[in-house]
Amino acid sequence: MNRPLTRIAAAIVLALSLLPAQAQQAAPLKGEVATRVDAMYPWLDKVYKDLHAHPEIAFQEVRTAGKLAAEMRKLGFEVTEKVGKTGVVAVLKNGAGPTVLVRTDMDGLPMEEKTGLPYASRAKAVSDGRESFVTHSCGHDIHMASWLGAARTLVELKSQWKGTLVFIGQPAEEIVAGAKAMLDDGLFKRFPKPDVAFALHSWPLAHGTVGFNDGPVSSNSDALEIVFKGRGGHGSAPDKTIDPIAIAARFVVDVQTVISREKDPKEFGVVTIGAIQGGTVGNIIPDSVQVRGTIRSYSPQVRAKLVEGVRRVANASAAMAGAPAPEMNVGGGGAAIVNSAELVGKTEAVFKDAFGAANAQRMPAMTASEDFSMFVNEGVPGMFFFTGVYDPKVVAEAERPGGKPIAFNHSPFYAPVPEPSIKTAAQAMSLAVLNVLAK
């Protein structure tokens, strides 16, 4: 026996025994969680592809909500439907302990899918008065499948935790209205108010990875709807008219100076015009033109500056043409999600242990918006995090100079790789909840 080596080995064992338990294994149930998610994946795959092929738009998620409700009842949850029009609330009590909310969103988008997948959506719905294709091009089907996976995992591991689960299927996230609808319908009065809340979102990262941060992780969102009024007439006699198309065109260009000349360049802010509608034929100047867009920001100060700037430029554009003041509906959108630093810190250790430090990293806030903030702003510490959906090789190629870009959320070509994406998301959510509720 080599006594010096024995003493060294003993010292190493002693040092390891003195390390905090969390540092040794932050996610003690990671193996069990992974095994259970692997075993249930055939079920999750079937549910996912069914949801993907049958999407429904905001506040029309009747079939979707019914499917989620039925699956949650099979797992033993007490389920209430039609909360906030089409929302689902599933509650499972397992002794004294914290209450944890886990949210999934349910709605698709009014656009045509172009992925060519064998389970691609060909569903249609009436949106804004006209028929449109519908697809889950933002990954809400991934969210729902992993939500079910986390719920089943937690049920199977009931002996390992104490507390109350409140799993909610939220409608109308895409129009930033579903969370408010559920709260207005008594979500935190009719059901247990959570001590913490979690939600996840698929993102064009490599599957197997998890991204997160504390502080703001999404943007404020404000709608911009303006009707510029003029005086219609013949296109050959513009002097007899007040041309609202010219007014709208001036506004679209000039409003960008609010971003480039008034906003602090170090602060995030965007004004995007996504729709201009007016006129019927080429030789008639119309009476009015409608302009619609979106305003995004992180800080309340920038948000206020942009909303005020949009209003001012719109009024000035009309005044320059001697036109009546425009009709405006600007502002009133959703607030940025601000993650709890304490909750993120606790969960970060779990994610790094479960997925590896290279696959669980902090990432910048997204510029898109989310109404999960409505729940957090009710005084509930929350964590909103991201999970990857693409082959790591494809992501690496896209990041190379001149590499082929990958489809972003809301692209008609957005096509997550189902199995690794759903498994990682289900495992991550299960572990995050267990970290709060574990005995």
Side-chain angles (χ1 to χ4, degrees), residues 289-319:
V289 171
Q290 183 186 55
V291 174
R292 292 185 292 170
T294 186
I295 306 169
R296 306 297 172 107
S297 59
Y298 291 147
S299 79
Q301 294 78 15
V302 171
R303 181 182 198 175
K305 181 179 284 292
L306 297 187
V307 169
E308 187 279 329
V310 167
R311 290 182 179 278
R312 176 166 37 84
V313 174
N315 279 317
S317 298

CSV table of all heavy atoms in Angstrom, one decimal, residues 289-319:
chain,number,residue,atom,x,y,z
A,289,VAL,N,-56.1,56.2,-45.3
A,289,VAL,CA,-55.1,55.1,-45.3
A,289,VAL,C,-54.8,54.6,-43.9
A,289,VAL,O,-54.6,55.5,-43.0
A,289,VAL,CB,-53.7,55.5,-45.9
A,289,VAL,CG1,-52.7,54.4,-45.7
A,289,VAL,CG2,-53.9,55.8,-47.4
A,290,GLN,N,-54.9,53.3,-43.7
A,290,GLN,CA,-54.6,52.8,-42.3
A,290,GLN,C,-53.1,52.3,-42.3
A,290,GLN,O,-52.7,51.6,-43.2
A,290,GLN,CB,-55.5,51.6,-42.0
A,290,GLN,CG,-55.3,51.0,-40.6
A,290,GLN,CD,-56.2,49.8,-40.3
A,290,GLN,OE1,-56.1,48.8,-41.1
A,290,GLN,NE2,-57.0,49.9,-39.3
A,291,VAL,N,-52.5,52.6,-41.2
A,291,VAL,CA,-51.1,52.1,-41.0
A,291,VAL,C,-51.1,51.4,-39.7
A,291,VAL,O,-51.6,51.8,-38.6
A,291,VAL,CB,-50.1,53.3,-40.9
A,291,VAL,CG1,-48.7,52.9,-40.5
A,291,VAL,CG2,-50.1,54.1,-42.2
A,292,ARG,N,-50.5,50.2,-39.7
A,292,ARG,CA,-50.4,49.4,-38.5
A,292,ARG,C,-48.9,48.9,-38.2
A,292,ARG,O,-48.2,48.6,-39.2
A,292,ARG,CB,-51.3,48.2,-38.5
A,292,ARG,CG,-52.8,48.5,-38.5
A,292,ARG,CD,-53.7,47.3,-38.4
A,292,ARG,NE,-53.6,46.5,-39.7
A,292,ARG,CZ,-54.1,45.3,-39.8
A,292,ARG,NH1,-54.7,44.7,-38.8
A,292,ARG,NH2,-54.0,44.7,-41.0
A,293,GLY,N,-48.6,48.9,-37.0
A,293,GLY,CA,-47.2,48.5,-36.7
A,293,GLY,C,-47.0,48.1,-35.2
A,293,GLY,O,-48.0,47.9,-34.5
A,294,THR,N,-45.8,47.9,-34.8
A,294,THR,CA,-45.5,47.5,-33.4
A,294,THR,C,-44.3,48.3,-32.9
A,294,THR,O,-43.4,48.7,-33.6
A,294,THR,CB,-45.2,46.0,-33.4
A,294,THR,OG1,-45.0,45.6,-32.0
A,294,THR,CG2,-43.9,45.7,-34.1
A,295,ILE,N,-44.4,48.6,-31.6
A,295,ILE,CA,-43.3,49.3,-30.9
A,295,ILE,C,-42.8,48.4,-29.8
A,295,ILE,O,-43.6,47.8,-29.0
A,295,ILE,CB,-43.9,50.6,-30.2
A,295,ILE,CG1,-44.7,51.5,-31.2
A,295,ILE,CG2,-42.8,51.4,-29.5
A,295,ILE,CD1,-45.5,52.6,-30.6
A,296,ARG,N,-41.5,48.2,-29.7
A,296,ARG,CA,-40.8,47.4,-28.8
A,296,ARG,C,-39.7,48.1,-28.0
A,296,ARG,O,-39.0,48.9,-28.6
A,296,ARG,CB,-40.2,46.1,-29.4
A,296,ARG,CG,-41.2,45.3,-30.3
A,296,ARG,CD,-42.4,44.7,-29.5
A,296,ARG,NE,-43.4,44.2,-30.4
A,296,ARG,CZ,-43.6,42.9,-30.5
A,296,ARG,NH1,-42.9,42.0,-29.9
A,296,ARG,NH2,-44.6,42.4,-31.3
A,297,SER,N,-39.6,47.7,-26.7
A,297,SER,CA,-38.6,48.4,-25.9
A,297,SER,C,-38.4,47.5,-24.6
A,297,SER,O,-39.2,46.6,-24.4
A,297,SER,CB,-39.1,49.8,-25.4
A,297,SER,OG,-40.3,49.7,-24.8
A,298,TYR,N,-37.4,47.8,-23.9
A,298,TYR,CA,-37.1,47.1,-22.6
A,298,TYR,C,-37.5,48.0,-21.4
A,298,TYR,O,-38.2,47.6,-20.5
A,298,TYR,CB,-35.7,46.7,-22.4
A,298,TYR,CG,-35.2,45.6,-23.4
A,298,TYR,CD1,-33.9,45.6,-23.8
A,298,TYR,CD2,-36.1,44.6,-23.8
A,298,TYR,CE1,-33.5,44.5,-24.7
A,298,TYR,CE2,-35.7,43.6,-24.6
A,298,TYR,CZ,-34.3,43.5,-25.1
A,298,TYR,OH,-33.9,42.5,-25.9
A,299,SER,N,-37.0,49.2,-21.4
A,299,SER,CA,-37.2,50.1,-20.2
A,299,SER,C,-38.5,50.9,-20.3
A,299,SER,O,-38.9,51.3,-21.4
A,299,SER,CB,-36.0,51.1,-20.1
A,299,SER,OG,-36.1,52.2,-20.9
A,300,PRO,N,-39.1,51.2,-19.2
A,300,PRO,CA,-40.3,52.1,-19.2
A,300,PRO,C,-40.1,53.4,-19.8
A,300,PRO,O,-41.0,54.0,-20.5
A,300,PRO,CB,-40.7,52.1,-17.7
A,300,PRO,CG,-40.1,51.0,-17.1
A,300,PRO,CD,-38.8,50.8,-17.9
A,301,GLN,N,-38.9,54.0,-19.6
A,301,GLN,CA,-38.6,55.3,-20.1
A,301,GLN,C,-38.5,55.4,-21.6
A,301,GLN,O,-39.1,56.3,-22.2
A,301,GLN,CB,-37.3,55.8,-19.5
A,301,GLN,CG,-37.3,56.0,-18.0
A,301,GLN,CD,-37.1,54.7,-17.2
A,301,GLN,OE1,-36.8,53.7,-17.7
A,301,GLN,NE2,-37.4,54.8,-15.9
A,302,VAL,N,-37.9,54.4,-22.2
A,302,VAL,CA,-37.8,54.3,-23.6
A,302,VAL,C,-39.2,54.1,-24.2
A,302,VAL,O,-39.6,54.6,-25.2
A,302,VAL,CB,-36.8,53.2,-24.1
A,302,VAL,CG1,-36.9,53.0,-25.6
A,302,VAL,CG2,-35.4,53.6,-23.7
A,303,ARG,N,-39.9,53.2,-23.5
A,303,ARG,CA,-41.3,52.9,-24.0
A,303,ARG,C,-42.1,54.2,-24.1
A,303,ARG,O,-42.8,54.4,-25.1
A,303,ARG,CB,-42.0,51.9,-23.0
A,303,ARG,CG,-43.4,51.5,-23.4
A,303,ARG,CD,-44.0,50.6,-22.4
A,303,ARG,NE,-45.1,49.9,-22.9
A,303,ARG,CZ,-45.8,48.9,-22.3
A,303,ARG,NH1,-45.4,48.6,-21.0
A,303,ARG,NH2,-46.8,48.3,-22.8
A,304,ALA,N,-42.1,55.0,-23.1
A,304,ALA,CA,-42.9,56.2,-23.1
A,304,ALA,C,-42.4,57.2,-24.2
A,304,ALA,O,-43.2,57.8,-24.8
A,304,ALA,CB,-42.7,56.9,-21.7
A,305,LYS,N,-41.1,57.3,-24.4
A,305,LYS,CA,-40.5,58.2,-25.4
A,305,LYS,C,-41.0,57.7,-26.8
A,305,LYS,O,-41.4,58.6,-27.6
A,305,LYS,CB,-39.0,58.2,-25.3
A,305,LYS,CG,-38.3,59.1,-26.4
A,305,LYS,CD,-36.8,59.1,-26.2
A,305,LYS,CE,-36.4,59.9,-25.0
A,305,LYS,NZ,-36.6,61.3,-25.2
A,306,LEU,N,-41.0,56.4,-27.1
A,306,LEU,CA,-41.3,55.9,-28.4
A,306,LEU,C,-42.8,56.2,-28.7
A,306,LEU,O,-43.2,56.6,-29.7
A,306,LEU,CB,-41.0,54.5,-28.5
A,306,LEU,CG,-39.5,54.1,-28.4
A,306,LEU,CD1,-39.3,52.6,-28.8
A,306,LEU,CD2,-38.7,55.0,-29.4
A,307,VAL,N,-43.7,55.9,-27.7
A,307,VAL,CA,-45.1,56.0,-27.9
A,307,VAL,C,-45.4,57.5,-28.1
A,307,VAL,O,-46.2,57.9,-29.0
A,307,VAL,CB,-45.9,55.5,-26.6
A,307,VAL,CG1,-47.3,55.9,-26.7
A,307,VAL,CG2,-45.8,54.0,-26.6
A,308,GLU,N,-44.8,58.4,-27.3
A,308,GLU,CA,-45.1,59.8,-27.5
A,308,GLU,C,-44.5,60.3,-28.9
A,308,GLU,O,-45.2,61.1,-29.6
A,308,GLU,CB,-44.4,60.6,-26.4
A,308,GLU,CG,-44.7,62.1,-26.4
A,308,GLU,CD,-43.8,62.9,-27.3
A,308,GLU,OE1,-42.7,62.5,-27.6
A,308,GLU,OE2,-44.3,63.9,-27.8
A,309,GLY,N,-43.4,59.8,-29.3
A,309,GLY,CA,-42.8,60.1,-30.5
A,309,GLY,C,-43.6,59.7,-31.7
A,309,GLY,O,-43.8,60.5,-32.7
A,310,VAL,N,-44.2,58.5,-31.7
A,310,VAL,CA,-45.1,58.0,-32.7
A,310,VAL,C,-46.3,58.9,-32.9
A,310,VAL,O,-46.7,59.3,-34.0
A,310,VAL,CB,-45.5,56.6,-32.5
A,310,VAL,CG1,-46.6,56.2,-33.4
A,310,VAL,CG2,-44.3,55.6,-32.7
A,311,ARG,N,-46.9,59.3,-31.7
A,311,ARG,CA,-48.1,60.2,-31.8
A,311,ARG,C,-47.7,61.5,-32.4
A,311,ARG,O,-48.4,62.1,-33.2
A,311,ARG,CB,-48.6,60.4,-30.4
A,311,ARG,CG,-49.3,59.1,-29.8
A,311,ARG,CD,-49.8,59.4,-28.4
A,311,ARG,NE,-50.5,58.3,-27.8
A,311,ARG,CZ,-51.7,57.9,-28.1
A,311,ARG,NH1,-52.4,58.7,-28.9
A,311,ARG,NH2,-52.2,56.9,-27.5
A,312,ARG,N,-46.6,62.1,-32.0
A,312,ARG,CA,-46.2,63.4,-32.4
A,312,ARG,C,-45.9,63.5,-33.9
A,312,ARG,O,-46.3,64.4,-34.6
A,312,ARG,CB,-44.9,63.9,-31.6
A,312,ARG,CG,-44.3,65.2,-32.0
A,312,ARG,CD,-43.4,65.7,-31.0
A,312,ARG,NE,-42.6,64.7,-30.3
A,312,ARG,CZ,-41.5,64.2,-30.8
A,312,ARG,NH1,-41.0,64.6,-32.0
A,312,ARG,NH2,-40.8,63.2,-30.2
A,313,VAL,N,-45.2,62.4,-34.4
A,313,VAL,CA,-44.8,62.4,-35.8
A,313,VAL,C,-46.1,62.2,-36.7
A,313,VAL,O,-46.2,62.8,-37.8
A,313,VAL,CB,-43.8,61.3,-36.1
A,313,VAL,CG1,-43.5,61.1,-37.6
A,313,VAL,CG2,-42.5,61.7,-35.4
A,314,ALA,N,-47.0,61.4,-36.2
A,314,ALA,CA,-48.2,61.1,-36.9
A,314,ALA,C,-49.0,62.4,-37.1
A,314,ALA,O,-49.5,62.8,-38.2
A,314,ALA,CB,-49.1,60.1,-36.2
A,315,ASN,N,-49.2,63.2,-36.0
A,315,ASN,CA,-49.9,64.4,-36.0
A,315,ASN,C,-49.2,65.4,-36.9
A,315,ASN,O,-49.9,66.1,-37.7
A,315,ASN,CB,-50.0,65.0,-34.6
A,315,ASN,CG,-51.2,64.4,-33.8
A,315,ASN,OD1,-52.3,64.2,-34.4
A,315,ASN,ND2,-50.9,64.0,-32.6
A,316,ALA,N,-47.9,65.5,-36.8
A,316,ALA,CA,-47.1,66.4,-37.7
A,316,ALA,C,-47.2,66.1,-39.1
A,316,ALA,O,-47.3,67.0,-40.0
A,316,ALA,CB,-45.7,66.4,-37.2
A,317,SER,N,-47.2,64.8,-39.5
A,317,SER,CA,-47.3,64.4,-40.9
A,317,SER,C,-48.6,64.8,-41.5
A,317,SER,O,-48.7,65.3,-42.6
A,317,SER,CB,-47.2,62.8,-41.0
A,317,SER,OG,-45.9,62.4,-40.5
A,318,ALA,N,-49.7,64.7,-40.7
A,318,ALA,CA,-51.0,65.1,-41.2
A,318,ALA,C,-51.1,66.7,-41.3
A,318,ALA,O,-51.6,67.2,-42.3
A,318,ALA,CB,-52.1,64.6,-40.3
A,319,ALA,N,-50.5,67.4,-40.3
A,319,ALA,CA,-50.6,68.8,-40.3
A,319,ALA,C,-49.8,69.4,-41.4
A,319,ALA,O,-50.2,70.4,-42.0
A,319,ALA,CB,-50.0,69.3,-38.9
